[in-house]
Amino acid sequence: VDVVPTVLDYLHLPPAAGLDGTSLQPLIAGGSGLARRTLYAGCSLLQNRYAALAGRRKYIDNRVPPFGLFRPARWMPNIRAFYKFAPAELYDLATDPEETRNLSASDPVTAAHLRGQLLGELARHRRSGASVHLDAETVEQLRALGYMH
């Protein structure tokens, strides 16, 4: 979300109206002028791993359902086995920068709080994202392959 505003800032171009994100140029330049906020990251290519970074805590959710074009849970009954979901992860980056001690079991309150923030952010972006429209022929091909019902 912050990549486009950062690139525009380096190019000395104004951000488009309604553009999410904040330029990271001041932070990259060594400043600390950014407001404190939770940062989000994700990879949805088969793994569906998403993370929330709030202060010194980093939460990684390996169990978030895929939000892509297809909803595998609808057509693949053993979806959990397919994705081999790992447990949630929570790290204190100030004391464990290498992320070797998972604190999710010992600090379930923080893990649940960050998971809630993360799922809220994913839902917000899902609602605002562009929808994909498939023509009848593509839908029929996907049904024939078992991807849709």
Side-chain angles (χ1 to χ4, degrees):
V1 173
D2 296 328
V3 173
V4 172
T6 301
V7 170
L8 291 173
D9 197 8
Y10 273 103
L11 295 173
H12 306 289
L13 296 172
L19 183 66
D20 279 345
T22 303
S23 172
L24 299 177
Q25 193 275 340
L27 185 64
I28 294 168
S32 59
L34 293 179
R36 196 157 188 79
R37 64 185 178 149
T38 301
L39 302 176
Y40 302 97
C43 174
S44 60
L45 181 61
L46 293 181
Q47 295 180 10
N48 294 306
R49 294 176 56 135
Y50 297 89
L53 178 64
R56 58 191 273 175
R57 299 293 177 136
K58 179 180 179 183
Y59 174 81
I60 302 171
D61 196 313
N62 301 301
R63 301 168 292 143
V64 176
F67 289 124
L69 171 63
F70 306 112
R71 305 290 191 285
R74 293 184 186 164
W75 52 265
M76 184 183 241
N78 62 347
I79 186 69
R80 293 190 83 60
F82 176 77
Y83 279 107
K84 294 180 177 41
F85 288 100
E89 302 169 51
L90 177 67
Y91 300 102
D92 183 334
L93 299 178
T95 61
D96 183 19
E98 300 294 322
E99 300 177 14
T100 60
R101 292 182 301 276
N102 186 351
L103 303 174
S104 63
S106 63
D107 190 357
V109 173
T110 300
H113 175 73
L114 289 174
R115 177 174 166 71
Q117 284 186 319
L118 178 62
L119 292 176
E121 187 68 11
L122 287 171
R124 185 177 76 82
H125 282 283
R126 183 174 182 213
R127 283 191 304 272
S128 67
S131 61
V132 175
H133 300 284
L134 301 174
D135 60 65
E137 181 182 350
T138 302
V139 170
E140 189 54 41
Q141 289 173 343
L142 291 171
R143 280 192 182 120
L145 292 170
Y147 291 127
M148 297 177 77
H149 296 282

